[in-house]
Amino acid sequence: METGKLIVLTGPSGVGKGSLVRSLLQRHPELALSISATTRAPREGEIHGQHYYFVDRPKFEDMVELGELLEWAEFAGNCYGTPRGPVLDRVREGKSVLLEIELLGARQVGQSFPEALKVFILPPSKSELERRLRGRGQESEEAIARRLQRATEEIEAAGEFDFQIVNDDFETALRELEAVLGF
Ligand code: 5GP
């Protein structure tokens, strides 16, 4: 694969982006994953600096004000953003960087970096997505409802992306993802 690419991976909450990314990084350690900042509270097992930088709202607003974020968006009541410095450093070093972000952020990256490769992960169906979201068992009913509402909006925009991959069978989706990334 060519080096120094910006890769954007988007798809509704619960579609399995996280698992795809984990497998991709295991199989291709030369890829770098951008670690986002968020105002969301950590889920059980999530580690600051590894899964996210967990920050409070004033700190997040400072990062926005200071131009430290490459993109940012509000999602289901919390803010999420990509720290600019580490991403640009990795790309300059010739490394490809993966951004696992939602739709509004993906659009911002597409505008700033038209050469970025944008991939959308689709669920096999809405009912399967809902089942996976509930299966996580860590979200309130209200949070699940907000994520499902947002999922509908995101899926409608899947056509804006360079590639769409359906995550029905995990291994098949992973192989398709590798293929579009040029592995
Ligand atoms: P979760 O709360 O499930 O970890 O993430 C919620 C959504 O926020 C997911 O769709 C995830 O891809 C997205 N997200 C995570 N980090 C970022 C980021 O830095 N920027 C944007 N725009 N979205 C993000």
Side-chain angles (χ1 to χ4, degrees):
M1 147 179 207
E2 285 171 40
T3 49
K5 253 191 217 160
L6 210 51
I7 302 156
V8 176
L9 204 66
T10 300
S13 183
V15 79
K17 297 183 299 272
S19 307
L20 284 168
V21 165
R22 268 195 302 281
S23 293
L24 203 58
L25 291 172
Q26 266 171 10
R27 288 161 66 140
H28 308 284
E30 69 275 26
L31 278 176
L33 176 67
S34 160
I35 299 169
S36 300
T38 183
T39 61
R40 165 168 82 59
R43 292 192 190 115
E44 214 181 303
E46 283 185 332
I47 297 165
H48 179 77
Q50 185 178 327
H51 297 92
Y52 280 107
Y53 296 107
F54 295 101
V55 299
D56 58 18
R57 233 170 225 266
K59 169 71 183 161
F60 194 93
E61 283 163 9
D62 278 353
M63 295 173 89
V64 173
E65 288 274 305
L66 294 168
E68 290 177 3
L69 300 177
L70 194 73
E71 59 72 37
W72 71 275
E74 215 161 327
F75 181 95
N78 289 297
C79 295
Y80 297 80
T82 303
R84 183 188 299 277
V87 172
L88 297 186
D89 286 351
R90 294 293 91 71
V91 171
R92 270 190 220 110
E93 288 164 10
K95 272 202 153 195
S96 290
V97 184
L98 206 59
L99 308 185
E100 194 230 294
I101 61 177
E102 52 68 70
L103 175 66
L104 303 178
R107 284 181 176 150
Q108 292 169 46
V109 174
Q111 280 178 351
S112 315
F113 302 90
E115 70 285 6
L117 186 71
K118 290 166 59 189
V119 183
F120 196 94
I121 310 295
L122 285 159
S125 67
K126 289 265 181 69
S127 54
E128 172 60 16
L129 183 70
E130 182 164 355
R131 198 188 65 76
R132 289 182 193 173
L133 257 179
R134 288 185 192 285
R136 272 208 299 230
Q138 290 202 25
E139 241 100 26
S140 67
E141 199 50 44
E142 192 208 346
I144 290 173
R146 278 201 278 188
R147 281 167 186 262
L148 282 171
Q149 169 60 34
R150 187 72 171 243
T152 306
E153 294 161 17
E154 293 202 325
I155 289 168
E156 280 168 8
E160 295 174 22
F161 287 69
D162 301 311
F163 296 97
Q164 295 80 26
I165 293 173
V166 178
N167 186 16
D168 187 359
D169 174 63
F170 181 81
E171 289 299 326
T172 308
L174 182 59
R175 275 199 301 276
E176 285 179 17
L177 186 55
E178 287 182 319
V180 301
L181 299 185
F183 288 117

